[in-house]
Structure formats: C-alpha cells, structure tokens
Amino acid sequence: MGKLEVINPRTGRADHAIAAATQQDVAQKAAALRAAQPEWEAMGVGGRCAVMARWLNAVKARAADIGEADAHDTGGCHTSYIQGFITMGNIGGWLEDAPKAFAALDYDAMSPSMPSVRVQSQVVAYPLVGVISPWNAPLMLALLDAVPALFAGSAVLLKPSEVTPRVIETLFETVREVPELAQVFDYVMGAGDVGQAVIGEADTICFTGSVPTGRKVAMACAERLIPCHLELGGKDPCIVTASADLDRATTAVLRGAVYATGQVCYSVERVYVARDIHDAFVAMLVEKAKAVRLNSDNPRGGHIGPFTHGPQADIVAGHIEDAVAKGAKVQCGGEIENIDGGRYLRPTVLTGVTHDMAIMQEETFGPTIPIMAYDDVDEAVRLANDTRFGLTASVIAGDEEEAEGIGRRLNAGGIFLQDTFLTFAKMRTFGTDSFGWSGHGAPRIGPESLRRFLRRKSLLTQTGDVADIQNDHHLGDGR
Ligand code: NDP
C-alpha cells in the first residue's frame, strides 16, 4: 500500500495520511463483501431495517465526532458540523421509506394480456454496488447512494475522495459497532486508480463528481457492461424578474451562490436580472456580500470557509481573470486570500459578464456571483437554458405564479421558486432527472433511488392448459 498525505485545508499542510489500496486489496475486499451479501439480502427489508436502526443509534452517539471530522476534512462552517445529524436523517428516512418502496414493487395477479397466466414479481439486489464520491460534502455524497443500496440488500464498497478521507474513517468506527453491517459495507482509500479498481469489481456504480471523471467512469462501466449512475456538475442559473422583492432576491441569491464557499453542485453559478432593477439589485447584493465573514479565525465561526481542495482556488481565480480580461467588472471580492495557509475567497460579485466567458459556461465551484442584465423574460429563459448542464435552476419573481410560469420553461431537474437552494425539500419525495451533462442514470432521490439497486424478475405460471404448436391461439386469433 502506498501512503498518501492529506492536506488540512485550513493550514495548507499535511496533517494526516492514508494507505492507498492496491488492486489486490480492492479485489479482496470485494470478494469478502460478495460472500456476505446473500445473507444480508436474505434477511429481507425488515431484517435489514432492524440492523440499520442499530447503526442509526451508533451514528447518533458519535454525531458530534462525525461533524468534527467532516469539518477537519472540508475546513469547517455550519454545513460540516451538522453532517452527523444529516446522516441520521438519511438512515432514519430510509427506515420508513424502504419497506414502502419494496411493497410498491410487489405484484401478484393474473395477466391482463394472457388471462390464464399468473404474474408474480420478485426483486433481486445487485450483489456489489461501488460508490465513488467527491471531496465536497464528502460524507453526505457517499451516503446518499450507499444507504439506499444497503437497504436494498446490496453490499457496498465505497471509494471516497483522497482529499477528504477523515470523516469516512470516523463513520466506519460506527459501522464496526454493528457487525452484520460491517460485513457488507466497507471502503477503500486512494486516488483515481483505486476508483477504477472498484469499477472492475462492482456490479453497478454510483459516481458523484466532475464531468471529465464521470466520462471516464462511464467508459469503464461500458467496457464491463455494468450500469452506472452519474451525478455530475452544474452551472445553475437564477432568474430575478423586475417585480421581485429586492431584499428577498439578494438574500436568496447570496446564500445560494456562496454557501459552503460555493462548493456545492447546485450552487447558483449565474444570475440573470431584469435590466430595470439590475443596478439596485447589484448595489444591495454587494452590500450584503461584504458582510459575509470568513471562518479563518474559528472553524465554527464565520459564514464561509477555505477552499476544501486548495487547487480549486486556481480554477476559480482563472474564471475571474478570464471574465475581467473580457470586460467584466469585479464589484466586490475577487482576490484569493492566503490566511495561515488556507486559501479563501470572499463573495465575488461580477457584472458586465457575457456567455463568451468561462465563468458563464464552465462550473466554477467557488463563491462567485456573475450577473447579467436581460430585457425580457424570453431572453432570460433563453440565456438560462444556454448551457450544457441542467442540475437545478431558480426563479425569484413578484409572486409564485409568475415564478412558476418561468420555472416550467427551464431545463433542469430541480427548479426552485421564490428561493434558491431547496434541494433538501425533495429528498424523500420523488426522483428527478438531471439534464445535459449534469447527470445520467436513474434518480438518486426518492423511492426510485432504492430501485436502482434492484433487478426485477417476473415469475409467470401457466394455470391453464399449455398451448399446442399446431393449434396456438394463446396470443389471440390474428391469423
Ligand atoms: P472528481 O470527478 O475529481 O472526483 C470524484 C471521485 O472520483 C473522487 O473520489 C476521485 O478520487 C475519483 N476519481 C478520480 N479519477 C477517477 C477515475 N479515473 N476513475 C474513477 N474514479 C476516479 O470530482 P471532485 O472530487 O473534484 O468533486 C467535485 C465535482 O463533483 C464537481 O464537479 C461537482 O459539481 C460534482 N458534484 C456533483 C454532485 C451532484 O449530485 N450532481 C454533488 C456534488 C458534487 P480522488 O479525489 O481521490 O482523485
């Protein structure tokens, strides 16, 4: 095993190390998980719920430690410290929803197309699910897929990002407290080659990460003819209409764009504001943006933390530089600050941007708010839809009806009306699809999410006479 150093985002220095798994390590872990999986599946959803309820208690007892580890990995702020509680919500939600999802797949009735045939449904889990997860929200994005896969009856092999391994190590201390679970849920550490090794072993893959890596993952899965579910990047727009309440709109846009330093797949990354209110909107937004505090002196304080992955700061700086070189104006922020080794960027409002700039086309993944004025709603819709991505979009208008009318014309899987950042509201509702490059495969949210890990079989019983090849009327007399 090779050793990989792990950087602390607050100091820029290595303060942790992981042993990168070899191909043999991955194969061995995969074989052990496969060997344990049949018993896990045979428990039925009720049996698995009983085990998962014990895990929920173990997570509850360590929720604060999990939050600390997440904060160490990512650089802190409120979003990290609540990760233990979010994990509890995830497991607890599936304790209620998994039995219902299984029940919805039951079928036992005489066939409507061949009335003498009884049709029964059976669901069978994919034995081994591989989960490959990114460094932003490292715990939540690993468990969004792993938890429903476990409830479905699969074993799970997780490959977290090498950038943020600490919280996964802490989480697995809770997994080991539940021996039946520990037999079917394991992880391997390492970089992209370890991710590829996981693809080489698994029966289906859930990947969350960037478009270029997602493409490599999809190609490796295609080579093995296994399904893959990709949750990729975004360039999510927000439209603010002339009738919008300025205070509401600026507050929602600021939070949607800079929460977690903008390192959220569904961050607001482009803002289109009606020309009539553009200047007033910018003035109010800049005033609020300047009040956002860094957490450099206290990981629990402030509003935004450092870049979790230091090199991400260079990508963000490149987008700002490109925009300025092409005529954009920085209204506030704009400079990467190095504080005690951590790399920070204050909320950065840019005006005079165009779609020729990287900051309006490529995922920035930083606390930037590029704003463009539009003249009529058709233009705003055209600009918002002028993207290769389509994860989420927001509309803030004078009233809900106006916002909904515009939202229905936008191409994205989640449309937030009269606010931004509402993804959590649909967690337990129904699955939605990503548009364009933002994703591929079945939804990861709602009951459909669990269905990704199940193959459905039909058992067809002939309860009448068998058909005679010389007198075959069973499909109707179409001769
Ligand atoms: P990456 O695509 O760089 O990495 C994602 C994971 O893939 C990491 O575990 C990484 O390992 C691993 N990996 C790297 N190369 C390979 C390879 N060749 N084969 C298999 N696995 C590989 O994404 P980031 O970690 O930079 O995460 C940020 C991205 O994630 C953003 O684009 C963001 O939009 C997206 N994202 C999407 C979400 C969604 O739900 N749509 C949610 C959150 C983030 P390692 O890091 O160790 O190199």
Side-chain angles (χ1 to χ4, degrees):
M1 286 198 185
K3 198 173 124 189
L4 293 176
E5 292 199 317
V6 185
I7 303 293
N8 181 332
R10 300 183 64 78
T11 64
R13 288 192 299 276
D15 66 357
H16 190 68
I18 51 171
T22 63
Q23 200 141 359
Q24 283 108 309
D25 299 328
V26 177
Q28 268 171 13
K29 289 208 173 196
L33 291 168
R34 264 185 201 289
Q37 184 272 337
E39 199 178 327
W40 178 245
E41 186 169 14
M43 275 183 194
V45 66
R48 290 191 293 279
C49 281
V51 175
M52 296 297 264
R54 280 165 43 219
W55 184 36
L56 173 58
N57 284 335
V59 169
K60 195 173 177 183
R62 298 288 308 278
D65 298 336
I66 289 170
E68 286 291 341
D70 196 278
H72 197 165
D73 268 338
T74 60
C77 279
H78 178 67
T79 181
S80 299
Y81 290 106
I82 59 173
Q83 288 301 319
F85 302 100
I86 289 181
T87 304
M88 286 160 52
N90 182 0
I91 302 169
W94 280 110
L95 282 174
E96 281 182 30
D97 294 348
K100 288 187 230 155
F102 270 91
L105 293 169
D106 277 351
Y107 189 93
D108 186 352
M110 300 312 286
S111 162
S113 50
M114 289 179 70
S116 65
V117 177
R118 177 183 175 195
V119 182
Q120 296 174 81
S121 163
Q122 181 193 358
V123 288
V124 182
Y126 281 93
L128 183 59
V129 173
V131 173
I132 303 175
S133 52
W135 49 257
N136 73 306
L139 183 65
M140 185 173 61
L141 293 170
L143 295 185
L144 266 183
D145 295 316
V147 168
L150 289 164
F151 273 100
S154 302
V156 175
L157 184 55
L158 166 66
K159 205 301 278 178
S161 170
E162 72 193 286
V163 177
T164 48
R166 303 170 185 87
V167 68
I168 301 297
E169 291 166 346
T170 305
L171 178 83
F172 272 82
E173 291 169 14
T174 68
V175 173
R176 286 192 281 272
E177 289 176 35
V178 185
E180 301 96 312
L181 180 63
Q183 289 191 337
V184 290
F185 189 21
D186 207 346
Y187 68 94
V188 281
M189 290 292 181
D193 57 321
V194 180
Q196 288 290 321
V198 170
I199 297 169
E201 297 291 340
D203 301 305
T204 183
I205 288 288
C206 296
F207 170 84
T208 308
S210 63
V211 168
T213 311
R215 191 172 276 125
K216 288 183 198 158
V217 168
M219 284 164 72
C221 290
E223 195 64 50
R224 289 202 57 228
L225 288 178
I226 60 169
C228 69
H229 306 279
L230 307 177
E231 298 286 343
L232 307 176
K235 191 73 203 168
D236 297 355
C238 177
I239 295 176
V240 180
T241 71
S243 56
D245 178 279
L246 274 189
D247 189 36
R248 178 188 191 99
T250 48
T251 296
V253 164
L254 181 63
R255 175 169 177 270
V258 312
Y259 188 86
T261 315
Q263 302 166 121
V264 179
C265 53
Y266 56 93
S267 283
V268 172
E269 291 232 349
R270 300 177 280 148
V271 182
Y272 303 99
V273 180
R275 197 172 300 281
D276 288 354
I277 60 160
H278 173 273
D279 292 353
F281 176 90
V282 171
M284 193 181 285
L285 181 69
V286 167
E287 193 187 315
K288 291 182 183 178
K290 284 182 174 166
V292 170
R293 284 182 288 110
L294 304 180
N295 78 345
S296 48
D297 54 351
N298 171 10
R300 285 181 181 272
H303 307 120
I304 62 174
F307 285 97
T308 297
H309 186 39
Q312 184 65 34
D314 298 323
I315 296 174
V316 177
H319 284 194
I320 297 171
E321 231 170 79
D322 169 74
V324 170
K326 289 174 179 160
K329 189 156 182 250
V330 174
Q331 300 288 348
C332 63
E335 293 292 331
I336 305 290
E337 295 172 45
N338 188 323
I339 305 174
D340 300 329
R343 303 185 79 188
Y344 296 80
L345 177 65
R346 292 174 202 273
T348 296
V349 176
L350 292 122
T351 51
V353 296
T354 66
H355 277 212
D356 298 331
M357 301 172 182
I359 206 158
M360 296 301 274
Q361 293 292 326
E362 296 166 23
E363 188 177 45
T364 306
F365 228 50
T368 50
I369 318 176
I371 302 170
M372 205 168 158
Y374 67 81
D375 290 310
D376 61 49
V377 166
D378 286 345
E379 185 191 7
V381 170
R382 184 181 57 72
L383 289 167
N385 285 338
D386 178 24
T387 176
R388 288 178 294 204
F389 296 97
L391 197 59
T392 75
S394 316
V395 185
I396 302 174
D399 59 41
E400 290 167 24
E401 198 183 341
E402 184 193 1
E404 185 178 329
I406 298 169
R408 285 184 181 275
R409 297 172 65 191
L410 300 179
N411 299 333
I415 308 292
F416 312 142
L417 305 175
Q418 300 298 73
D419 200 350
T420 61
F421 236 62
L422 297 179
T423 282
F424 265 81
K426 65 178 175 130
M427 276 304 171
R428 294 182 58 193
T429 55
F430 56 88
T432 55
D433 301 299
S434 299
F435 285 50
W437 283 5
S438 286
H440 170 80
R444 73 167 2 167
I445 282 171
E448 293 98 324
S449 156
L450 185 134
R451 177 76 177 82
R452 291 177 297 169
F453 309 110
L454 297 170
R455 286 161 299 175
R456 197 174 200 185
K457 287 165 61 182
S458 57
L459 303 177
L460 308 176
T461 309
Q462 177 59 277
T463 66
D465 293 337
V466 294
D468 173 351
I469 186 71
Q470 288 168 348
N471 191 22
D472 187 353
H473 296 285
H474 77 284
L475 291 177
D477 199 347
R479 289 168 298 172

